Amino acid sequence: MDATTYAVQVEWGDCGPGNVVLVQSFARWMDEAAQQHFRQRRAQIADHHADPIELVAMPPLELNMSFYGAAAHPEALEILTWVEEWREAAVVHRHRVLRGATVICEGRSLRAFHVVGPEIAPAPPPFPEWIRERIH
């Protein structure tokens, strides 16, 4: 497992009533952790794409989470993120949220490689090989 660590400081706005972190905060942090996973390996598509007419994105298509505990303000959390599976035009990330050594949440996200240009493609293109080489 070639994981990156994303540090999170729980803020008041991440929580709902009772000072418990909201599900959507975990979803946002997992999305940010996946983006950081690409950045740390110099695999940001926007940095390598030269065509100004096309927009290149890796939108999340699916996110599943399992919770084993709660988090609250002002706790510090860490999110471990790694690639579980490569598909032709998508990548599956795994996320493990830790408070110290305790796992409080695990997640799995599916993210597609997508190019939006002047013409609509019939199917998403495959992930560029240079990205697969930088992320194991």
Side-chain angles (χ1 to χ4, degrees):
M1 167 175 68
D2 182 26
T4 55
T5 302
Y6 182 70
V8 172
Q9 181 65 49
V10 178
E11 299 294 339
W12 183 256
D14 298 322
C15 302
N19 198 32
V20 175
V21 173
L22 299 167
V23 171
Q24 57 264 36
S25 295
F26 283 97
R28 184 182 79 245
W29 296 332
M30 288 181 189
D31 184 54
E32 292 167 358
Q35 292 298 326
Q36 177 182 284
H37 188 76
F38 283 107
R39 274 193 311 274
Q40 285 187 354
R41 283 156 177 76
R42 296 179 16 251
Q44 282 292 96
I45 292 177
D47 296 341
H48 300 275
H49 193 69
D51 189 342
I53 296 174
E54 293 181 335
L55 171 65
V56 178
M58 292 183 291
L61 303 178
E62 181 180 316
L63 174 62
N64 300 297
M65 292 181 276
S66 298
F67 292 90
Y68 313 113
H73 175 265
E75 293 178 327
L77 306 175
E78 288 186 334
I79 302 176
L80 301 179
T81 298
W82 65 94
V83 170
E84 178 182 73
E85 175 188 359
W86 282 103
R87 298 181 185 171
E88 183 174 344
V91 61
V92 178
H93 274 114
R94 292 285 297 186
H95 310 279
R96 183 170 294 145
V97 182
L98 301 162
R99 181 181 49 241
T102 303
V103 177
I104 61 169
C105 177
E106 290 185 303
R108 184 174 183 269
S109 61
L110 174 66
R111 188 174 293 273
F113 178 66
H114 190 66
V115 178
V116 178
E119 296 182 22
I120 297 174
F127 256 96
E129 193 57 40
W130 65 267
I131 291 179
R132 292 175 187 260
E133 290 171 0
R134 290 182 183 183
I135 300 176
H136 310 290

PDB file of all heavy atoms in Angstrom, residues 77-108:
ATOM      1  N   LEU A  77      -7.228  14.787  12.996  1.00  0.00           N
ATOM      2  CA  LEU A  77      -7.409  13.497  12.328  1.00  0.00           C
ATOM      3  C   LEU A  77      -6.384  13.351  11.208  1.00  0.00           C
ATOM      4  O   LEU A  77      -5.850  14.345  10.715  1.00  0.00           O
ATOM      5  CB  LEU A  77      -8.815  13.397  11.730  1.00  0.00           C
ATOM      6  CG  LEU A  77      -9.996  13.657  12.658  1.00  0.00           C
ATOM      7  CD1 LEU A  77     -11.298  13.632  11.862  1.00  0.00           C
ATOM      8  CD2 LEU A  77     -10.027  12.635  13.778  1.00  0.00           C
ATOM      9  N   GLU A  78      -6.147  12.114  10.810  1.00  0.00           N
ATOM     10  CA  GLU A  78      -5.317  11.834   9.645  1.00  0.00           C
ATOM     11  C   GLU A  78      -6.107  10.934   8.712  1.00  0.00           C
ATOM     12  O   GLU A  78      -6.799  10.010   9.161  1.00  0.00           O
ATOM     13  CB  GLU A  78      -4.021  11.126  10.036  1.00  0.00           C
ATOM     14  CG  GLU A  78      -3.039  12.012  10.734  1.00  0.00           C
ATOM     15  CD  GLU A  78      -1.717  11.302  10.966  1.00  0.00           C
ATOM     16  OE1 GLU A  78      -1.694  10.047  11.052  1.00  0.00           O
ATOM     17  OE2 GLU A  78      -0.697  12.003  11.055  1.00  0.00           O
ATOM     18  N   ILE A  79      -5.986  11.196   7.414  1.00  0.00           N
ATOM     19  CA  ILE A  79      -6.636  10.354   6.415  1.00  0.00           C
ATOM     20  C   ILE A  79      -5.550   9.719   5.561  1.00  0.00           C
ATOM     21  O   ILE A  79      -4.795  10.424   4.879  1.00  0.00           O
ATOM     22  CB  ILE A  79      -7.607  11.160   5.535  1.00  0.00           C
ATOM     23  CG1 ILE A  79      -8.664  11.830   6.417  1.00  0.00           C
ATOM     24  CG2 ILE A  79      -8.256  10.251   4.489  1.00  0.00           C
ATOM     25  CD1 ILE A  79      -9.607  12.728   5.670  1.00  0.00           C
ATOM     26  N   LEU A  80      -5.462   8.399   5.630  1.00  0.00           N
ATOM     27  CA  LEU A  80      -4.552   7.646   4.770  1.00  0.00           C
ATOM     28  C   LEU A  80      -5.301   7.339   3.481  1.00  0.00           C
ATOM     29  O   LEU A  80      -6.439   6.858   3.526  1.00  0.00           O
ATOM     30  CB  LEU A  80      -4.100   6.352   5.429  1.00  0.00           C
ATOM     31  CG  LEU A  80      -3.374   6.479   6.760  1.00  0.00           C
ATOM     32  CD1 LEU A  80      -3.012   5.094   7.282  1.00  0.00           C
ATOM     33  CD2 LEU A  80      -2.142   7.338   6.623  1.00  0.00           C
ATOM     34  N   THR A  81      -4.675   7.595   2.332  1.00  0.00           N
ATOM     35  CA  THR A  81      -5.319   7.376   1.031  1.00  0.00           C
ATOM     36  C   THR A  81      -4.366   6.620   0.123  1.00  0.00           C
ATOM     37  O   THR A  81      -3.178   6.934   0.062  1.00  0.00           O
ATOM     38  CB  THR A  81      -5.694   8.730   0.386  1.00  0.00           C
ATOM     39  OG1 THR A  81      -6.624   9.394   1.248  1.00  0.00           O
ATOM     40  CG2 THR A  81      -6.318   8.549  -0.981  1.00  0.00           C
ATOM     41  N   TRP A  82      -4.899   5.629  -0.591  1.00  0.00           N
ATOM     42  CA  TRP A  82      -4.101   4.873  -1.550  1.00  0.00           C
ATOM     43  C   TRP A  82      -4.997   4.386  -2.677  1.00  0.00           C
ATOM     44  O   TRP A  82      -6.219   4.395  -2.570  1.00  0.00           O
ATOM     45  CB  TRP A  82      -3.373   3.716  -0.875  1.00  0.00           C
ATOM     46  CG  TRP A  82      -4.259   2.641  -0.306  1.00  0.00           C
ATOM     47  CD1 TRP A  82      -4.645   1.492  -0.919  1.00  0.00           C
ATOM     48  CD2 TRP A  82      -4.871   2.617   0.990  1.00  0.00           C
ATOM     49  NE1 TRP A  82      -5.466   0.756  -0.084  1.00  0.00           N
ATOM     50  CE2 TRP A  82      -5.611   1.425   1.088  1.00  0.00           C
ATOM     51  CE3 TRP A  82      -4.860   3.496   2.082  1.00  0.00           C
ATOM     52  CZ2 TRP A  82      -6.331   1.097   2.231  1.00  0.00           C
ATOM     53  CZ3 TRP A  82      -5.582   3.160   3.206  1.00  0.00           C
ATOM     54  CH2 TRP A  82      -6.297   1.976   3.281  1.00  0.00           C
ATOM     55  N   VAL A  83      -4.377   3.966  -3.780  1.00  0.00           N
ATOM     56  CA  VAL A  83      -5.127   3.426  -4.910  1.00  0.00           C
ATOM     57  C   VAL A  83      -5.363   1.946  -4.654  1.00  0.00           C
ATOM     58  O   VAL A  83      -4.426   1.177  -4.461  1.00  0.00           O
ATOM     59  CB  VAL A  83      -4.380   3.640  -6.248  1.00  0.00           C
ATOM     60  CG1 VAL A  83      -5.058   2.869  -7.372  1.00  0.00           C
ATOM     61  CG2 VAL A  83      -4.318   5.123  -6.578  1.00  0.00           C
ATOM     62  N   GLU A  84      -6.629   1.584  -4.675  1.00  0.00           N
ATOM     63  CA  GLU A  84      -6.998   0.185  -4.510  1.00  0.00           C
ATOM     64  C   GLU A  84      -7.042  -0.528  -5.862  1.00  0.00           C
ATOM     65  O   GLU A  84      -6.658  -1.690  -5.974  1.00  0.00           O
ATOM     66  CB  GLU A  84      -8.364   0.089  -3.842  1.00  0.00           C
ATOM     67  CG  GLU A  84      -8.863  -1.334  -3.677  1.00  0.00           C
ATOM     68  CD  GLU A  84     -10.240  -1.384  -3.061  1.00  0.00           C
ATOM     69  OE1 GLU A  84     -11.215  -1.053  -3.759  1.00  0.00           O
ATOM     70  OE2 GLU A  84     -10.326  -1.748  -1.877  1.00  0.00           O
ATOM     71  N   GLU A  85      -7.522   0.182  -6.882  1.00  0.00           N
ATOM     72  CA  GLU A  85      -7.717  -0.461  -8.180  1.00  0.00           C
ATOM     73  C   GLU A  85      -7.687   0.576  -9.302  1.00  0.00           C
ATOM     74  O   GLU A  85      -8.244   1.665  -9.166  1.00  0.00           O
ATOM     75  CB  GLU A  85      -9.081  -1.164  -8.181  1.00  0.00           C
ATOM     76  CG  GLU A  85      -9.503  -1.771  -9.476  1.00  0.00           C
ATOM     77  CD  GLU A  85     -10.939  -2.282  -9.444  1.00  0.00           C
ATOM     78  OE1 GLU A  85     -11.619  -2.183  -8.404  1.00  0.00           O
ATOM     79  OE2 GLU A  85     -11.379  -2.760 -10.501  1.00  0.00           O
ATOM     80  N   TRP A  86      -7.042   0.230 -10.394  1.00  0.00           N
ATOM     81  CA  TRP A  86      -7.099   1.025 -11.631  1.00  0.00           C
ATOM     82  C   TRP A  86      -8.076   0.359 -12.573  1.00  0.00           C
ATOM     83  O   TRP A  86      -8.023  -0.842 -12.783  1.00  0.00           O
ATOM     84  CB  TRP A  86      -5.734   1.078 -12.313  1.00  0.00           C
ATOM     85  CG  TRP A  86      -4.781   2.034 -11.693  1.00  0.00           C
ATOM     86  CD1 TRP A  86      -3.724   1.718 -10.874  1.00  0.00           C
ATOM     87  CD2 TRP A  86      -4.775   3.448 -11.818  1.00  0.00           C
ATOM     88  NE1 TRP A  86      -3.076   2.851 -10.492  1.00  0.00           N
ATOM     89  CE2 TRP A  86      -3.697   3.933 -11.057  1.00  0.00           C
ATOM     90  CE3 TRP A  86      -5.578   4.368 -12.498  1.00  0.00           C
ATOM     91  CZ2 TRP A  86      -3.391   5.285 -10.963  1.00  0.00           C
ATOM     92  CZ3 TRP A  86      -5.276   5.714 -12.401  1.00  0.00           C
ATOM     93  CH2 TRP A  86      -4.192   6.156 -11.644  1.00  0.00           C
ATOM     94  N   ARG A  87      -8.947   1.157 -13.153  1.00  0.00           N
ATOM     95  CA  ARG A  87      -9.818   0.690 -14.231  1.00  0.00           C
ATOM     96  C   ARG A  87      -9.420   1.458 -15.475  1.00  0.00           C
ATOM     97  O   ARG A  87      -8.615   2.387 -15.395  1.00  0.00           O
ATOM     98  CB  ARG A  87     -11.272   0.925 -13.881  1.00  0.00           C
ATOM     99  CG  ARG A  87     -11.681   0.146 -12.625  1.00  0.00           C
ATOM    100  CD  ARG A  87     -13.109   0.340 -12.274  1.00  0.00           C
ATOM    101  NE  ARG A  87     -13.416  -0.328 -11.018  1.00  0.00           N
ATOM    102  CZ  ARG A  87     -14.552  -0.187 -10.389  1.00  0.00           C
ATOM    103  NH1 ARG A  87     -15.500   0.602 -10.870  1.00  0.00           N
ATOM    104  NH2 ARG A  87     -14.762  -0.823  -9.255  1.00  0.00           N
ATOM    105  N   GLU A  88      -9.963   1.107 -16.616  1.00  0.00           N
ATOM    106  CA  GLU A  88      -9.516   1.772 -17.847  1.00  0.00           C
ATOM    107  C   GLU A  88      -9.667   3.285 -17.777  1.00  0.00           C
ATOM    108  O   GLU A  88      -8.743   4.027 -18.095  1.00  0.00           O
ATOM    109  CB  GLU A  88     -10.267   1.236 -19.067  1.00  0.00           C
ATOM    110  CG  GLU A  88      -9.748   1.858 -20.341  1.00  0.00           C
ATOM    111  CD  GLU A  88     -10.357   1.262 -21.586  1.00  0.00           C
ATOM    112  OE1 GLU A  88     -10.952   0.181 -21.513  1.00  0.00           O
ATOM    113  OE2 GLU A  88     -10.228   1.895 -22.630  1.00  0.00           O
ATOM    114  N   ALA A  89     -10.819   3.775 -17.341  1.00  0.00           N
ATOM    115  CA  ALA A  89     -11.059   5.219 -17.307  1.00  0.00           C
ATOM    116  C   ALA A  89     -11.421   5.702 -15.903  1.00  0.00           C
ATOM    117  O   ALA A  89     -12.005   6.760 -15.739  1.00  0.00           O
ATOM    118  CB  ALA A  89     -12.168   5.589 -18.284  1.00  0.00           C
ATOM    119  N   ALA A  90     -11.059   4.929 -14.891  1.00  0.00           N
ATOM    120  CA  ALA A  90     -11.398   5.310 -13.519  1.00  0.00           C
ATOM    121  C   ALA A  90     -10.364   4.759 -12.550  1.00  0.00           C
ATOM    122  O   ALA A  90      -9.598   3.851 -12.889  1.00  0.00           O
ATOM    123  CB  ALA A  90     -12.786   4.789 -13.161  1.00  0.00           C
ATOM    124  N   VAL A  91     -10.368   5.329 -11.359  1.00  0.00           N
ATOM    125  CA  VAL A  91      -9.477   4.869 -10.295  1.00  0.00           C
ATOM    126  C   VAL A  91     -10.310   4.742  -9.018  1.00  0.00           C
ATOM    127  O   VAL A  91     -11.214   5.545  -8.771  1.00  0.00           O
ATOM    128  CB  VAL A  91      -8.279   5.838 -10.105  1.00  0.00           C
ATOM    129  CG1 VAL A  91      -8.738   7.228  -9.716  1.00  0.00           C
ATOM    130  CG2 VAL A  91      -7.289   5.285  -9.091  1.00  0.00           C
ATOM    131  N   VAL A  92     -10.009   3.718  -8.225  1.00  0.00           N
ATOM    132  CA  VAL A  92     -10.680   3.512  -6.945  1.00  0.00           C
ATOM    133  C   VAL A  92      -9.676   3.814  -5.836  1.00  0.00           C
ATOM    134  O   VAL A  92      -8.606   3.204  -5.773  1.00  0.00           O
ATOM    135  CB  VAL A  92     -11.198   2.062  -6.800  1.00  0.00           C
ATOM    136  CG1 VAL A  92     -11.843   1.861  -5.429  1.00  0.00           C
ATOM    137  CG2 VAL A  92     -12.164   1.720  -7.920  1.00  0.00           C
ATOM    138  N   HIS A  93     -10.015   4.801  -5.008  1.00  0.00           N
ATOM    139  CA  HIS A  93      -9.196   5.147  -3.851  1.00  0.00           C
ATOM    140  C   HIS A  93      -9.796   4.526  -2.598  1.00  0.00           C
ATOM    141  O   HIS A  93     -11.014   4.429  -2.469  1.00  0.00           O
ATOM    142  CB  HIS A  93      -9.169   6.672  -3.632  1.00  0.00           C
ATOM    143  CG  HIS A  93      -8.142   7.378  -4.419  1.00  0.00           C
ATOM    144  ND1 HIS A  93      -8.458   8.276  -5.411  1.00  0.00           N
ATOM    145  CD2 HIS A  93      -6.802   7.350  -4.360  1.00  0.00           C
ATOM    146  CE1 HIS A  93      -7.348   8.765  -5.927  1.00  0.00           C
ATOM    147  NE2 HIS A  93      -6.332   8.224  -5.308  1.00  0.00           N
ATOM    148  N   ARG A  94      -8.926   4.146  -1.670  1.00  0.00           N
ATOM    149  CA  ARG A  94      -9.346   3.733  -0.329  1.00  0.00           C
ATOM    150  C   ARG A  94      -8.887   4.814   0.640  1.00  0.00           C
ATOM    151  O   ARG A  94      -7.813   5.390   0.464  1.00  0.00           O
ATOM    152  CB  ARG A  94      -8.716   2.399   0.061  1.00  0.00           C
ATOM    153  CG  ARG A  94      -9.213   1.221  -0.743  1.00  0.00           C
ATOM    154  CD  ARG A  94     -10.568   0.795  -0.346  1.00  0.00           C
ATOM    155  NE  ARG A  94     -10.566   0.346   1.044  1.00  0.00           N
ATOM    156  CZ  ARG A  94     -11.588  -0.192   1.642  1.00  0.00           C
ATOM    157  NH1 ARG A  94     -12.726  -0.341   1.016  1.00  0.00           N
ATOM    158  NH2 ARG A  94     -11.504  -0.570   2.890  1.00  0.00           N
ATOM    159  N   HIS A  95      -9.695   5.049   1.649  1.00  0.00           N
ATOM    160  CA  HIS A  95      -9.404   6.072   2.658  1.00  0.00           C
ATOM    161  C   HIS A  95      -9.605   5.460   4.046  1.00  0.00           C
ATOM    162  O   HIS A  95     -10.584   4.750   4.266  1.00  0.00           O
ATOM    163  CB  HIS A  95     -10.345   7.269   2.513  1.00  0.00           C
ATOM    164  CG  HIS A  95     -10.441   7.810   1.125  1.00  0.00           C
ATOM    165  ND1 HIS A  95      -9.509   8.659   0.590  1.00  0.00           N
ATOM    166  CD2 HIS A  95     -11.361   7.602   0.158  1.00  0.00           C
ATOM    167  CE1 HIS A  95      -9.856   8.979  -0.641  1.00  0.00           C
ATOM    168  NE2 HIS A  95     -10.981   8.342  -0.932  1.00  0.00           N
ATOM    169  N   ARG A  96      -8.688   5.759   4.929  1.00  0.00           N
ATOM    170  CA  ARG A  96      -8.807   5.328   6.329  1.00  0.00           C
ATOM    171  C   ARG A  96      -8.618   6.567   7.195  1.00  0.00           C
ATOM    172  O   ARG A  96      -7.568   7.210   7.140  1.00  0.00           O
ATOM    173  CB  ARG A  96      -7.759   4.270   6.654  1.00  0.00           C
ATOM    174  CG  ARG A  96      -7.870   3.726   8.057  1.00  0.00           C
ATOM    175  CD  ARG A  96      -6.993   2.512   8.267  1.00  0.00           C
ATOM    176  NE  ARG A  96      -7.504   1.427   7.434  1.00  0.00           N
ATOM    177  CZ  ARG A  96      -6.722   0.527   6.835  1.00  0.00           C
ATOM    178  NH1 ARG A  96      -5.419   0.571   6.956  1.00  0.00           N
ATOM    179  NH2 ARG A  96      -7.260  -0.430   6.108  1.00  0.00           N
ATOM    180  N   VAL A  97      -9.634   6.904   7.995  1.00  0.00           N
ATOM    181  CA  VAL A  97      -9.584   8.082   8.863  1.00  0.00           C
ATOM    182  C   VAL A  97      -9.194   7.628  10.264  1.00  0.00           C
ATOM    183  O   VAL A  97      -9.846   6.764  10.853  1.00  0.00           O
ATOM    184  CB  VAL A  97     -10.947   8.814   8.898  1.00  0.00           C
ATOM    185  CG1 VAL A  97     -10.851  10.065   9.758  1.00  0.00           C
ATOM    186  CG2 VAL A  97     -11.405   9.164   7.480  1.00  0.00           C
ATOM    187  N   LEU A  98      -8.122   8.240  10.772  1.00  0.00           N
ATOM    188  CA  LEU A  98      -7.586   7.868  12.076  1.00  0.00           C
ATOM    189  C   LEU A  98      -7.623   9.041  13.047  1.00  0.00           C
ATOM    190  O   LEU A  98      -7.353  10.184  12.665  1.00  0.00           O
ATOM    191  CB  LEU A  98      -6.122   7.429  11.941  1.00  0.00           C
ATOM    192  CG  LEU A  98      -5.842   6.256  11.010  1.00  0.00           C
ATOM    193  CD1 LEU A  98      -4.378   6.211  10.645  1.00  0.00           C
ATOM    194  CD2 LEU A  98      -6.264   4.971  11.673  1.00  0.00           C
ATOM    195  N   ARG A  99      -7.946   8.729  14.293  1.00  0.00           N
ATOM    196  CA  ARG A  99      -7.765   9.653  15.409  1.00  0.00           C
ATOM    197  C   ARG A  99      -6.716   8.975  16.275  1.00  0.00           C
ATOM    198  O   ARG A  99      -7.013   7.998  16.966  1.00  0.00           O
ATOM    199  CB  ARG A  99      -9.057   9.880  16.187  1.00  0.00           C
ATOM    200  CG  ARG A  99      -8.883  10.859  17.342  1.00  0.00           C
ATOM    201  CD  ARG A  99     -10.153  11.081  18.145  1.00  0.00           C
ATOM    202  NE  ARG A  99     -10.776   9.839  18.522  1.00  0.00           N
ATOM    203  CZ  ARG A  99     -12.019   9.467  18.145  1.00  0.00           C
ATOM    204  NH1 ARG A  99     -12.768  10.245  17.390  1.00  0.00           N
ATOM    205  NH2 ARG A  99     -12.515   8.312  18.540  1.00  0.00           N
ATOM    206  N   GLY A 100      -5.473   9.442  16.151  1.00  0.00           N
ATOM    207  CA  GLY A 100      -4.359   8.739  16.785  1.00  0.00           C
ATOM    208  C   GLY A 100      -4.193   7.397  16.078  1.00  0.00           C
ATOM    209  O   GLY A 100      -4.088   7.339  14.861  1.00  0.00           O
ATOM    210  N   ALA A 101      -4.237   6.310  16.837  1.00  0.00           N
ATOM    211  CA  ALA A 101      -4.126   4.972  16.250  1.00  0.00           C
ATOM    212  C   ALA A 101      -5.481   4.316  16.016  1.00  0.00           C
ATOM    213  O   ALA A 101      -5.559   3.187  15.540  1.00  0.00           O
ATOM    214  CB  ALA A 101      -3.271   4.082  17.152  1.00  0.00           C
ATOM    215  N   THR A 102      -6.565   5.031  16.333  1.00  0.00           N
ATOM    216  CA  THR A 102      -7.910   4.463  16.237  1.00  0.00           C
ATOM    217  C   THR A 102      -8.546   4.783  14.895  1.00  0.00           C
ATOM    218  O   THR A 102      -8.647   5.944  14.506  1.00  0.00           O
ATOM    219  CB  THR A 102      -8.808   5.026  17.363  1.00  0.00           C
ATOM    220  OG1 THR A 102      -8.195   4.754  18.618  1.00  0.00           O
ATOM    221  CG2 THR A 102     -10.192   4.408  17.318  1.00  0.00           C
ATOM    222  N   VAL A 103      -9.001   3.745  14.187  1.00  0.00           N
ATOM    223  CA  VAL A 103      -9.720   3.934  12.930  1.00  0.00           C
ATOM    224  C   VAL A 103     -11.161   4.307  13.261  1.00  0.00           C
ATOM    225  O   VAL A 103     -11.855   3.557  13.944  1.00  0.00           O
ATOM    226  CB  VAL A 103      -9.701   2.647  12.066  1.00  0.00           C
ATOM    227  CG1 VAL A 103     -10.515   2.844  10.798  1.00  0.00           C
ATOM    228  CG2 VAL A 103      -8.275   2.241  11.729  1.00  0.00           C
ATOM    229  N   ILE A 104     -11.595   5.482  12.800  1.00  0.00           N
ATOM    230  CA  ILE A 104     -12.969   5.902  13.076  1.00  0.00           C
ATOM    231  C   ILE A 104     -13.858   5.851  11.837  1.00  0.00           C
ATOM    232  O   ILE A 104     -15.078   5.875  11.947  1.00  0.00           O
ATOM    233  CB  ILE A 104     -13.040   7.294  13.725  1.00  0.00           C
ATOM    234  CG1 ILE A 104     -12.450   8.366  12.813  1.00  0.00           C
ATOM    235  CG2 ILE A 104     -12.354   7.290  15.080  1.00  0.00           C
ATOM    236  CD1 ILE A 104     -12.729   9.776  13.292  1.00  0.00           C
ATOM    237  N   CYS A 105     -13.235   5.761  10.644  1.00  0.00           N
ATOM    238  CA  CYS A 105     -14.017   5.725   9.411  1.00  0.00           C
ATOM    239  C   CYS A 105     -13.153   5.149   8.301  1.00  0.00           C
ATOM    240  O   CYS A 105     -11.938   5.354   8.270  1.00  0.00           O
ATOM    241  CB  CYS A 105     -14.465   7.144   9.052  1.00  0.00           C
ATOM    242  SG  CYS A 105     -15.369   7.283   7.495  1.00  0.00           S
ATOM    243  N   GLU A 106     -13.786   4.408   7.404  1.00  0.00           N
ATOM    244  CA  GLU A 106     -13.112   3.945   6.188  1.00  0.00           C
ATOM    245  C   GLU A 106     -14.008   4.280   5.004  1.00  0.00           C
ATOM    246  O   GLU A 106     -15.236   4.264   5.118  1.00  0.00           O
ATOM    247  CB  GLU A 106     -12.837   2.446   6.245  1.00  0.00           C
ATOM    248  CG  GLU A 106     -11.774   2.103   7.266  1.00  0.00           C
ATOM    249  CD  GLU A 106     -11.403   0.639   7.253  1.00  0.00           C
ATOM    250  OE1 GLU A 106     -12.320  -0.195   7.424  1.00  0.00           O
ATOM    251  OE2 GLU A 106     -10.214   0.341   7.071  1.00  0.00           O
ATOM    252  N   GLY A 107     -13.379   4.597   3.891  1.00  0.00           N
ATOM    253  CA  GLY A 107     -14.142   4.957   2.707  1.00  0.00           C
ATOM    254  C   GLY A 107     -13.506   4.424   1.442  1.00  0.00           C
ATOM    255  O   GLY A 107     -12.329   4.053   1.418  1.00  0.00           O
ATOM    256  N   ARG A 108     -14.306   4.402   0.411  1.00  0.00           N
ATOM    257  CA  ARG A 108     -13.882   3.934  -0.913  1.00  0.00           C
ATOM    258  C   ARG A 108     -14.516   4.884  -1.916  1.00  0.00           C
ATOM    259  O   ARG A 108     -15.723   5.121  -1.876  1.00  0.00           O
ATOM    260  CB  ARG A 108     -14.386   2.511  -1.120  1.00  0.00           C
ATOM    261  CG  ARG A 108     -13.956   1.856  -2.382  1.00  0.00           C
ATOM    262  CD  ARG A 108     -14.439   0.393  -2.353  1.00  0.00           C
ATOM    263  NE  ARG A 108     -13.986  -0.310  -3.504  1.00  0.00           N
ATOM    264  CZ  ARG A 108     -14.647  -0.411  -4.650  1.00  0.00           C
ATOM    265  NH1 ARG A 108     -15.829   0.173  -4.773  1.00  0.00           N
ATOM    266  NH2 ARG A 108     -14.158  -1.080  -5.657  1.00  0.00           N
TER     267      ARG A 108
END
